[in-house]
Structure formats: C-alpha cells, structure tokens
Amino acid sequence: MFLKELKKTWKRSEIFIAFFIICIIQGVFVWKLIPSDVGEYLEAYEKYGGQMDEEWKVRISNEYEDYLNDENKLRDEMNYYQPDFLVLHDAWYYTDFNSIVEDYVKSYKAGIAQRDPLYDIDRISETYRKIEEQSDQFIFGNNIARVVMVRSLSMFSKCILMFLVFLLASFFTREQDTGMDALLSTSRNGRRKLGYIKLAVCQSSALLVSVILIGLSAVIIYIRTGWAGMDSVVQDFRNGYNTCPYVWNNGRYLSVILFVSLLTCQVAAAVVFVLSQYLKTTIKIICISLAILLIPVLLFQNFHHWLLGLWFSNFIAGEYLWNSFYEFRIGQIYISYWQIAVIELVVLFMALSCILVRMGKERKYERFD
C-alpha cells in the first residue's frame, strides 16, 4: 500500500516537471558559485597547505618574504590578484593564528561588555581557549568545497520548500474533491491506516528530494573542485567571516550543518502534511504553507535580522548557527543560537507528533448498517 500511495503521489506529470526545474536551478546555482580559476586555487592550496606547526609556519613565512622581495613580481601589480599569491597570503595570515584569535576575543569581549555589562565575558575566553591550545594541530588547506556546499544551501532551502508545498498541498484535498473521503471512512481500516501511510510517503518524499538535491550539489562540486580539504581548519577570523568556537575541521562542520538541514526539511514536510489535513482547499494550503515556511527564509536571506534567524525553516541553510559564538542571556542562564534551534526543533517535533496522533484517532472506522 505504501508503494501504491508513493506512486500515486509522484506519477503526476507536473510533479516531475517541477522536480526537474528545481534540479536545474540548484545545479546552475552551484556551478556559478565555483570560480572559473578554481584549478589554480587548488594547485596553490596543494603547494602551501600543511599542518600548522612551527615548521610549516617558518616555511610559509620564508616563502611569503621571498615573494615580496622578488622585484620582478613587484613590478607587476596583477601578481597580487593571482590565486597563488592570494592563497600564500592566506597561509601567511594563519601563521599568527593564535594572536589573531586573541585579538578577536579581546575585541568581541569589549563589544559584549558595552552592550550587556552583566554578561560574563570570561565565557568567551574559555570557549576560544580550546582553539588556541590545539591550533598547532590544525591543517591549512583547501576549503572551497565546504564553502560552496554551505552557500548552495541558500538556494536549496528555497527550492526544497517550494517543491514540498507543491507536492504535499493536495495530499488530502484530492480525496475531498472527488468524494473519496467519505467512502474511505467506511473501509475496514478507515482513514487511520491510510493516514499513516500518507505520512510515511510525505516524510520519505521529503528525504528523497533533499538527498537528491544535496547529492546533485555534491557531484557538481566533486567534478569542479573535488572534495579534498575536509580535514582543513574552518575558522577565518578576518572581519568575523567564520569565528566558529568549536574545534572542528571542514568535514565535521559541514556534516553538522547538513544534518540539521535534513532534519529541518523533515519538520517542514510534517508541517505541510498537517496543514493539508486540516485546511479544505489546495490554494489555502499553499498560501499558508508558503507564509509559514518560505517567506521567513526570503526575509532572513535579504535582511539578516537575528530574530528571523530563530524561525525554524531558516535552519535549512543554518550555517549562522555554528559560525560564531553568540549567546542570549536570560538572568544567569546562557543559551546559544544552535541550542535554541535544537530546542525549537524538538518542541516542533513533539507538537507535530501529538497532532498526528490526534489525527490518527479521528480517522476511525465508521460502519454504516
């Protein structure tokens, strides 16, 4: 019965057309994110990469000094914009990594103390101390694949939400429009079993589409850049670009972001499923679903207000949950962005579970003699 319901959901031609369109949009978006001279960057990272120990720091410092002392290269200003020099300059920047972390922590503590005098600013030093202690074990290397995949989630979030709404909005309204709803309620299993099967189809479809879109992005990235550098350092404290306070490399950082993204997609699908049960018309389901799921994403990606970032559908492209140390203080209780996200998803999961159980009880067998 599950396979029949899955086939019925996907056999509509408009579903395949919509799915093909979002795949094209996602693929083109990822392709354009990758610079045309990516090959030169990869060669430079291979040349200057390595574990950030004292030997590496000395080697990079010497090569950087030799580059600046080369009169032939100094005459040509364009050399300063070539991938080889840009990567060497990045590597040289990381040779003084601990000092940069200390400067960032000092500046951040000063800013927090000014905004919130009651905040325990020593928490910031304690958080980043682990990074400073283990910095000599970090690896400087290629982070292009991770950056492209994370940035691609901005388009992925919009594509997956629009498609889920389009796919699931008519889950129950088709039966109501054709008069099958009353007939199904008189069957031996009533609508309870069918409802649970539809729920399984809903969540399976959401997972399938999410994995396909992320997999498509991963394949394009592999073709263009490869997936080397997943063991490289993820932090970049210049202008606060990535101040992740955890001792993670690119691989672990990306894995956490993708896991939360897939989990949020499941919650979003369940929200549309519940709306499709209680609302009577497809148009109303689509409008309310888009207002709940997609509009906050569009607003956040354009205005970047932290309150919008707390809305659950934005967790699909939720790098901001992990790329900085940001806490809310409630009295003596401190809670970070990602902890709020976890609590929010758990509460939503529990609420949706209660609603779905109630829906199952309502779909009872109605016998007519």
Side-chain angles (χ1 to χ4, degrees), residues 109-120:
K109 287 169 65 176
I112 292 293
Q114 185 176 6
R115 293 194 300 269
D116 185 1
L118 298 178
Y119 188 95
D120 181 10

Side-chain angles (χ1 to χ4, degrees), residues 101-115:
V101 175
E102 290 174 5
D103 291 342
Y104 170 79
V105 170
K106 182 179 179 181
S107 174
Y108 189 50
K109 287 169 65 176
I112 292 293
Q114 185 176 6
R115 293 194 300 269

Side-chain angles (χ1 to χ4, degrees), residues 49-57 135-140:
Q51 185 174 341
M52 293 163 49
D53 52 18
E54 288 302 320
E55 182 180 351
W56 177 83
K57 292 176 182 179
S135 63
D136 59 343
Q137 300 176 20
F138 290 174
I139 295 175
F140 176 81

Side-chain angles (χ1 to χ4, degrees), residues 184-197:
L184 286 169
S185 64
T186 65
S187 64
R188 180 169 299 276
N189 292 311
R191 286 178 49 80
R192 181 178 299 180
K193 183 176 180 180
L194 179 60
Y196 290 145
I197 290 174

